[in-house]
């Protein structure tokens, strides 16, 4: 149980980060609901995914697909620096949707670690996944004010998400086999760094395009 608690504390930081980035532009009241509903929904899906993910992680292109999705999320989360005064239902739904998708992708390591520490005990597995809810909510609640006060942290967060995406892609069996055969000098951290660079560059490019479109409209 102590191992599971420590795993949750260590591996839930990136999940808290993506929740904070998805919700920081919402008004405070809607932000709290988005954080809570997003974290609870994501944790419930984790329990379902645990039944499946341990069986499919070894299938080629599963991790690759997850890494690509996470890169897209990192790119979409940059650019909004100031909180909105009024959030539409669509904005809240979008935040919850991003939280759930990103958590599903980023929880692979958490699920694997908890399942290993629980040694097949489903009560312990469910305890570990359930414990991640308050940890993630607390972490996201602390991160949101920091993101609003220091907008540059949003870009740092996008880089972190891109790094995780690169690690996911590099750990895919098909990608790892391809690299061993054709580019053995490429290490996993090279792909992680490339993921961070792609997320930051594409995010910057998206912001520039949107700013240009807004200027043209005005």
């Amino acid at each position: 149980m102590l191992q599971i608690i420590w795993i949750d504390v260590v591996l839930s930081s990136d999940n808290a980060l993506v929740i904070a980035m998805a919700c920081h532009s919402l008004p405070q009241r809607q932000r709290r609901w988005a954080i809570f509903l997003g974290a609870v929904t994501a944790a419930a899906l984790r329990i379902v995914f645990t039944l499946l993910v341990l069986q499919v992680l070894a299938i080629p292109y599963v991790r690759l697909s997850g890494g690509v999705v996470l890169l897209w999320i990192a790119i979409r989360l940059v650019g909004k620096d100031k909180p909105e005064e009024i959030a539409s239902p669509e904005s809240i739904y979008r935040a919850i949707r991003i939280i759930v998708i990103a958590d599903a992708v980023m929880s692979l390591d958490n699920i694997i670690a908890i399942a290993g520490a629980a040694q097949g005990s489903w009560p312990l597995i469910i305890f570990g996944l359930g414990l991640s809810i308050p940890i993630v909510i607390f972490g996201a609640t602390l991160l949101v004010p920091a993101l609003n006060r220091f907008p540059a942290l949003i870009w740092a967060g996008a880089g972190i998400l891109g790094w995780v995406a690169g690690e996911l892609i590099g750990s895919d069996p098909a990608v790892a086999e391809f690299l061993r055969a054709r580019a053995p000098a490429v290490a996993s951290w090279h792909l992680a760094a490339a993921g961070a660079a792609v997320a930051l560059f594409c995010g910057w490019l998206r912001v520039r395009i949107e700013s240009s479109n807004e200027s043209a409209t005005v």
Side-chain angles (χ1 to χ4, degrees), residues 80-168:
K80 295 192 73 175
D81 296 338
K82 296 181 180 180
E84 300 173 356
E85 294 182 1
I86 300 176
S88 65
E90 290 77 11
S91 298
I92 299 174
Y93 171 74
R94 172 183 173 274
I96 294 175
R97 183 182 62 203
I98 289 176
I99 290 168
V100 171
I101 295 174
D103 190 87
V105 173
M106 299 173 69
S107 295
L108 296 177
D109 54 357
N110 193 286
I111 291 173
I112 295 170
I114 288 176
Q119 298 180 1
S121 171
W122 275 103
L124 284 178
I125 291 175
I126 293 174
F127 164 77
L129 297 176
L131 180 64
S132 64
I133 298 176
I135 293 177
V136 168
I137 291 176
F138 179 72
T141 303
L142 291 180
L143 283 171
V144 167
L147 293 178
N148 285 331
R149 185 173 181 181
F150 305 105
L153 293 178
I154 298 174
W155 290 93
I160 292 173
L161 297 183
W163 183 282
V164 175
E167 288 183 332
L168 270 176

Side-chain angles (χ1 to χ4, degrees), residues 18-97:
V18 76
I19 289 177
M21 291 178 66
C23 297
H24 84 281
S25 62
L26 297 174
Q28 187 171 4
R29 183 177 179 182
Q30 287 91 339
R31 182 192 307 159
R32 290 174 179 172
W33 276 108
I35 290 175
F36 175 77
L37 293 176
V40 170
T41 304
L45 288 177
R46 282 193 199 187
I47 297 175
V48 177
F49 290 154
T50 303
L51 297 171
L52 305 173
V53 77
L54 297 179
Q55 307 299 323
V56 303
L57 279 179
I59 299 176
Y61 307 113
V62 172
R63 289 176 178 264
L64 173 62
S65 302
V68 171
V69 172
L70 191 57
L71 266 179
W72 175 80
I73 289 174
I75 294 167
R76 292 296 303 170
L77 286 179
V78 296
K80 295 192 73 175
D81 296 338
K82 296 181 180 180
E84 300 173 356
E85 294 182 1
I86 300 176
S88 65
E90 290 77 11
S91 298
I92 299 174
Y93 171 74
R94 172 183 173 274
I96 294 175
R97 183 182 62 203

